Amino acid sequence: MSERVLDIRNLKVVFPNELGIIRAVEGIDLEIEKGKCVALVGESGCGKSVTSLASMKLLGNSGAIVRADKMELCGTDIRELSDKDMQDFRGKRISMIFQDALSALNPVMTIGKQLDEIFIRHFNVSKKEAKEHSIEALKLVGVPDPAVRYKAYPHELSGGMRQRVLIAMAFACNPDLIIADEPTTALDVTIQAQVLDLLSDLQKSHHKALLLITHDFSVVVHMADEICVMYSGKIVEKAPAKELFREPLHPYTKGLIGSVAKMEDKKGKFIQIPDSLPNPMNKPSGCYFHPRCACATEKCKTYMPPLRTLENGRQVRCWIQEEAHEP
Ligand SMILES: Nc1ncnc2c1ncn2[C@@H]1O[C@H](COP(=O)(O)OP(=O)(O)O)[C@@H](O)[C@H]1O
Ligand SMILES: [Mg+2]
């Protein structure tokens, strides 16, 4: 039987301020099974990070109001957990990999000691055993001369190596769920590919659930089993990764993939999306994407389309697709 590691239903997050309300996340469903990688993709500001932070109850002091019909991690309803219990839960079950390895690592402690601490805390091993585990972990993530690098401070490593160390730390505590938020955005393209390959290999070989968050479609091509495309706080398309790439349905997805794959429309022009995300305090009427959509109709300007499951099982939030697939 498949095991659901993450199960979020109808997640809503708003940030009230003196000028109004920022509606950052508007009713998102997110599920990840053990061993699977789900990618959350969309332009910067569409609500990806807020979705992941809310899913871990990490929006504590931000002024956010979070609501959901269901928030289950590894079968536990986290809405019920106290802050202290949630902190323990995160420490034991969830690992996070962020873009900025330098600020995620302790600058005055060697990377070896930082890894040792994880093994000591999680597995109650001696210092000597922890060191052996740490060197093994550095080897696993492809850090050359691991016994030497064990003694290095974060600033003595390159950006790519630091990100490998973060990946080693994320896997060291044997979590059920790994959340990687723009894990390679700060790296050069070639290093980015190497680090993503590493993350993908480890996720698959260790059979972990991975939530991969990125604004860059090229990042998810080879990694994700399923892709959720997010626009202005809502999921606009959800599909198995291969199908989504073969045939994107939502005009926004087409634009995002088009900008990576240089997709051409019928007239041979590259598909591009004009302008930018709407102001989260003042979103347009109807479909939030309509002001940027070349296919928008009067209906699109007036009514928000639902996220509908089409006959072929694909999910898309678009009136045009819905009408095209009407039986
Ligand atoms: N702490 C906060 N207070 C107020 N607004 C926030 C806060 N964090 C995020 N937001 C807003 O929520 C929206 C979604 O942000 P975010 O999830 O960080 O986007 P993404 O990760 O997709 O780039 C943005 O409009 C952002 O300005
Ligand atoms: Mg973000």
Side-chain angles (χ1 to χ4, degrees):
M1 209 186 79
S2 61
E3 240 176 280
R4 196 161 283 181
V5 177
L6 180 82
D7 193 351
I8 307 276
R9 300 279 146 163
N10 198 19
L11 175 70
K12 293 181 178 162
V13 183
V14 298
F15 296 95
N17 62 30
E18 58 283 5
L19 298 173
I21 294 174
I22 295 176
R23 285 181 288 143
V25 177
E26 296 190 44
I28 296 266
D29 293 347
L30 207 55
E31 302 114 48
I32 312 181
E33 312 270 333
K34 189 167 189 230
K36 297 289 181 199
C37 171
V38 173
L40 198 53
V41 186
E43 281 163 292
S44 184
C46 70
K48 306 178 299 291
S49 295
V50 170
T51 300
S52 75
L53 293 171
S55 305
M56 292 178 284
K57 296 227 286 188
L58 277 175
L59 284 173
N61 297 323
S62 64
I65 301 175
V66 181
R67 293 278 179 272
D69 293 345
K70 189 176 189 183
M71 282 180 105
E72 267 184 27
L73 264 84
C74 318
T76 301
D77 183 348
I78 59 164
R79 291 174 305 174
E80 306 294 322
L81 297 183
S82 67
D83 288 351
K84 167 80 180 66
D85 289 344
M86 191 61 217
Q87 203 177 338
D88 288 347
F89 186 86
R90 274 195 300 268
K92 290 198 181 91
R93 316 295 288 268
I94 311 171
S95 283
M96 286 166 272
I97 304 169
F98 293 109
Q99 174 180 336
D100 183 5
L102 207 49
S103 65
L105 293 165
N106 183 339
V108 293
M109 204 185 211
T110 63
I111 55 163
K113 286 280 170 261
Q114 296 186 55
L115 269 165
D116 288 357
E117 276 196 351
I118 296 175
F119 288 112
I120 291 168
R121 196 168 61 233
H122 280 267
F123 305 107
N124 219 1
V125 293
S126 69
K127 276 189 180 164
K128 184 165 169 289
E129 285 167 321
K131 180 172 178 182
E132 284 163 16
H133 284 302
S134 298
I135 292 175
E136 198 51 45
L138 291 174
K139 200 165 148 195
L140 185 71
V141 295
V143 171
D145 300 324
V148 177
R149 298 293 163 88
Y150 174 88
K151 298 184 196 121
Y153 287 89
H155 72 266
E156 295 175 313
L157 300 178
S158 67
M161 281 302 143
R162 276 199 293 269
Q163 213 60 9
R164 284 175 190 265
V165 171
L166 272 202
I167 293 173
M169 290 170 87
F171 280 87
C173 44
N174 194 24
D176 297 290
L177 172 67
I178 297 169
I179 297 181
D181 192 345
E182 309 274 6
T184 55
T185 303
L187 304 176
D188 293 345
V189 177
T190 44
I191 308 288
Q192 195 172 7
Q194 292 165 8
V195 172
L196 288 170
D197 281 347
L198 168 73
L199 181 58
S200 185
D201 288 348
L202 286 178
Q203 177 253 326
K204 292 197 170 75
S205 60
H206 288 63
H207 212 56
K208 296 296 178 200
L210 171 66
L211 175 61
L212 176 66
I213 295 178
T214 176
H215 68 281
D216 182 353
F217 242 107
S218 62
V219 160
V220 301
V221 187
H222 305 295
M223 285 184 76
D225 297 291
E226 187 181 60
I227 297 176
C228 300
V229 182
M230 213 172 156
Y231 187 78
S232 192
K234 287 184 181 283
I235 303 272
V236 293
E237 182 162 5
K238 192 185 241 184
K242 286 196 179 75
E243 286 183 35
L244 192 107
F245 275 101
R246 200 185 57 230
E247 190 196 4
L249 296 179
H250 198 284
Y252 181 59
T253 317
K254 287 180 190 173
L256 286 182
I257 295 182
S259 62
V260 175
K262 299 268 186 283
M263 223 165 61
E264 290 176 6
D265 65 9
K266 286 187 190 120
K267 292 182 197 136
K269 283 205 310 205
F270 289 146
I271 295 176
Q272 280 181 343
I273 325 168
D275 307 323
S276 53
L277 276 179
N279 176 349
M281 298 232 290
N282 185 18
K283 298 193 186 186
S285 61
C287 171
Y288 291 160
F289 188 61
H290 90 252
R292 299 171 74 186
C293 181
C295 319
T297 63
E298 277 309 310
K299 188 175 181 182
C300 306
K301 293 177 190 167
T302 320
Y303 302 104
M304 169 65 78
L307 183 66
R308 195 87 87 187
T309 306
L310 304 176
E311 271 185 334
N312 57 10
R314 297 276 301 267
Q315 286 190 314
V316 61
R317 185 188 291 281
C318 176
W319 289 125
I320 296 152
Q321 282 300 329
E322 188 156 314
E323 279 157 20
H325 287 78
E326 229 154 28

